[in-house]
Amino acid sequence: MKIIWYNTIESTNSAMEKERDSLVHKEVWAARLQTAGKGQKGNVWCSDQGANLTFSIYLSHTDLEARHQFMICRAVSLGVCDYLESKGVHATIKWPNDIYVSDRKICGILISHTVSGSKLKDTVAGIGINLNQSVFPDWIPNPTSLKIITGNNYVIEDELPPLAESVFAEYDNICERTAGRYLDRLYLKDTPHIFTDTATGTQFKGVITGVLQDGRLEIKTADGYIRYFAFKEVAY
Ligand code: BTN
């Protein structure tokens, strides 16, 4: 496995995206400190220096249809869950790819793809997983870490290879069962909850019933409708 460690870098995702053409399949870039770590929805990703794993993996695809790109999101999310399971921690996936333990977020994932014609060309998948941090800034909504959960300290350099291997194993074995296993891990699936339609700001009661092949979330509303939401169209 090709792993490059940086002491300081703006963002492993941004840096890899600039070097896409010179990367090899399954290359990993990790940082002890990111000065401009990127989160979803334009947020920053904040992580104490040397405390957690912040890294990106590069995947070069041979024959994946662009319309199947949600498969990558599933595989990366499941790979992180498999790693956490190996640490004795059961995690769930808050759609589309936040990793939760109970009601707290332990890991965020930020994925970008390039497309060539109808095919997916490559992917940069950035993973920020809290290992040793036990105090977080107030503005981070509901964080947790492996240390908070298990009481143990982790050597980040030792944890990266098995975590990356778990993600690669899921990627190498993408199949029909991956979709089912993703659903089995879905946070709040079949649990009544209040959702916000972000386009209108309207709140509604409903239950997550599934995820379509294209990645849209399926919610059965309390008044009996089935609604589908793309990323950012619903908050909960
Ligand atoms: C999220 O908002 O949940 C996604 C967070 C993704 C953070 C990781 S840390 C490594 C990689 N580099 C970045 O700048 N972001 C991702």
Side-chain angles (χ1 to χ4, degrees):
M1 188 187 307
K2 181 175 178 186
I3 297 182
I4 301 178
W5 271 99
Y6 295 89
N7 281 330
T8 306
I9 200 167
E10 40 164 339
S11 147
T12 54
N13 266 39
S14 308
M16 258 195 167
E17 282 162 1
K18 287 181 199 148
E19 300 291 332
R20 272 194 142 98
D21 293 338
S22 56
L23 301 171
V24 297
H25 183 51
K26 296 185 177 172
E27 188 161 335
V28 180
W29 288 12
R32 296 184 179 87
L33 176 68
Q34 292 188 121
T35 53
K38 294 195 307 185
Q40 289 167 359
K41 304 176 188 163
N43 292 327
V44 296
W45 184 256
C46 183
S47 179
D48 279 359
Q49 182 167 11
N52 305 312
L53 275 172
T54 50
F55 67 102
S56 301
I57 61 179
Y58 177 77
L59 299 169
S60 173
H61 313 295
T62 46
D63 191 23
L64 251 178
E65 294 292 329
R67 66 195 159 87
H68 292 153
Q69 59 185 260
F70 192 66
M71 284 179 168
I72 308 294
C73 175
R74 286 197 202 105
V76 175
S77 304
L78 285 169
V80 173
C81 292
D82 296 343
Y83 161 79
L84 287 169
E85 211 69 55
S86 77
K87 297 284 159 192
V89 171
H90 183 71
T92 56
I93 302 167
K94 183 175 181 216
W95 174 87
N97 55 11
D98 283 345
I99 308 303
Y100 268 50
V101 177
S102 302
D103 289 319
R104 293 187 171 269
K105 179 166 166 174
I106 191 168
C107 173
I109 297 170
L110 185 65
I111 294 180
S112 70
H113 305 287
T114 63
V115 170
S116 172
S118 68
K119 301 283 184 189
L120 212 55
K121 189 165 169 273
D122 63 11
T123 297
V124 170
I127 298 174
I129 182 166
N130 300 325
L131 297 190
N132 297 305
Q133 193 164 336
S134 44
V135 178
F136 293 87
D138 290 344
W139 54 267
I140 299 182
N142 50 354
T144 191
S145 68
L146 260 190
K147 180 175 178 157
I148 291 172
I149 297 160
T150 66
N152 297 329
N153 285 303
Y154 299 86
V155 177
I156 58 171
E157 291 82 358
D158 292 348
E159 298 306 317
L160 180 54
L163 172 49
E165 278 303 349
S166 292
V167 173
F168 297 149
E170 287 287 351
Y171 174 78
D172 290 340
N173 291 311
I174 284 177
C175 59
E176 286 308 309
R177 283 185 50 244
T178 311
R181 289 174 46 245
Y182 177 90
L183 276 188
D184 290 344
R185 291 250 183 206
L186 204 57
Y187 176 69
L188 290 180
K189 182 166 181 289
D190 300 323
T191 307
H193 196 72
I194 293 173
F195 299 86
T196 304
D197 179 335
T198 55
T200 60
T202 320
Q203 290 199 321
F204 62 94
K205 285 186 192 156
V207 172
I208 295 173
T209 43
V211 177
L212 298 184
Q213 291 300 330
D214 67 8
R216 280 179 298 156
L217 186 68
E218 181 185 277
I219 299 176
K220 183 172 184 186
T221 66
D223 45 11
Y225 293 99
I226 303 288
R227 297 182 64 184
Y228 299 100
F229 294 90
F231 185 47
K232 299 181 192 168
E233 290 180 352
V234 66
Y236 56 101

